[in-house]
Amino acid sequence: MAHTLKAPQTAAECAAQEATLVLDRLTAADAMGIGQSILALALEWFPGRPVAIHLETDDHPLFVYFMDGTNAGNADWIIKKKNVVRRFGYSSFRVRLEFLERKANFHAETGLDPVLFQAEGGAVPLAVRGKGRVGTVIVSGLDGWEDHVLAVGGLELWNSHKIASGRQG
C-alpha cells in the first residue's frame, strides 16, 4: 500500500477528520479489531519502531498491546494523552494544534499538571453514533504526529474492513 503519511495541519482539519471516525458501536470484539488494525499498520508503516496501543472505555481497558522495545515511559505517555482527550473531548493532537495556532502555552493557560496532561498527538476519542465519546484509543512510541496518524489510520482501516465484510450495525 503506497500510503503517504500526513497528519492534519490545522485544528480545523483535525476536527473534520474526527467527525468521520464515529462508530456504530464499541464492543470488546470491535476494540480487538481496531487494536489489531493499528498493529498491522504499525508494522507496515513504521517497521522496527516499537509502539504501544491502548483502547479503553471510560470505565476500563478493552485492548492493550505493548510491542517489544516499549517500556513504562510509553505507559506514562498513554495516560497523559488520554487525560487530554477525556478533559477536552477531542484528540490530543487537535488540542496541541489549537494551542500552537494561538501561540499559547498549554500548561500555563490550562493550569493542568504536566505529569498528568500532555497535548501531544496519539490519543483519539472513540465516539459512538448517538452516544458521543465513550472511550479513547491511544498510541505511543513514535513522534506525536505519527502516533496520531497511526491511531486514525487503524480506526479507518478497521471501519473499511468492517463495512466491506458487511459487519456494520
Side-chain angles (χ1 to χ4, degrees):
M1 171 171 158
H3 193 279
T4 303
L5 299 179
K6 184 173 180 272
Q9 300 299 299
T10 65
E13 285 179 26
C14 217
Q17 181 185 62
E18 287 175 37
T20 69
L21 300 175
V22 178
L23 308 172
D24 293 325
R25 64 174 191 274
L26 181 64
T27 66
D30 294 332
M32 174 72 79
I34 294 166
Q36 289 174 332
S37 293
I38 293 169
L39 178 57
L41 290 181
L43 296 171
E44 179 183 338
W45 292 351
F46 305 102
R49 294 176 66 191
V51 173
I53 305 162
H54 183 104
L55 280 86
E56 67 178 31
T57 64
D58 286 346
D59 298 323
H60 60 84
L62 292 173
F63 179 93
V64 178
Y65 184 78
F66 280 59
M67 292 174 140
D68 290 334
T70 55
N71 56 47
N74 297 103
D76 289 341
W77 273 103
I78 283 170
I79 292 166
K80 293 171 185 184
K81 294 189 282 189
K82 172 191 70 174
N83 287 344
V84 169
V85 171
R86 290 183 75 161
R87 176 68 171 252
F88 293 89
Y90 40 84
S91 76
S92 55
F93 193 61
R94 178 173 160 191
V95 173
R96 176 179 179 75
L97 291 173
E98 286 184 353
F99 278 82
L100 287 173
E101 287 168 14
R102 293 191 291 109
K103 295 178 177 40
N105 180 291
F106 175 76
H107 292 106
E109 186 173 304
T110 63
L112 296 171
D113 185 343
V115 171
L116 297 174
F117 294 85
Q118 287 292 330
E120 183 58 73
V124 177
L126 290 169
V128 172
R129 194 166 282 105
K131 295 183 179 177
R133 194 189 65 75
V134 298
T136 311
V137 55
I138 311 102
V139 173
S140 171
L142 307 167
D143 290 340
W145 73 269
E146 293 172 318
D147 285 341
H148 177 83
V149 166
L150 186 53
V152 169
L155 275 166
E156 291 173 341
L157 177 63
W158 174 78
N159 213 27
S160 68
H161 283 163
K162 182 180 65 118
I163 291 168
S165 68
R167 288 184 287 146
Q168 70 255 30

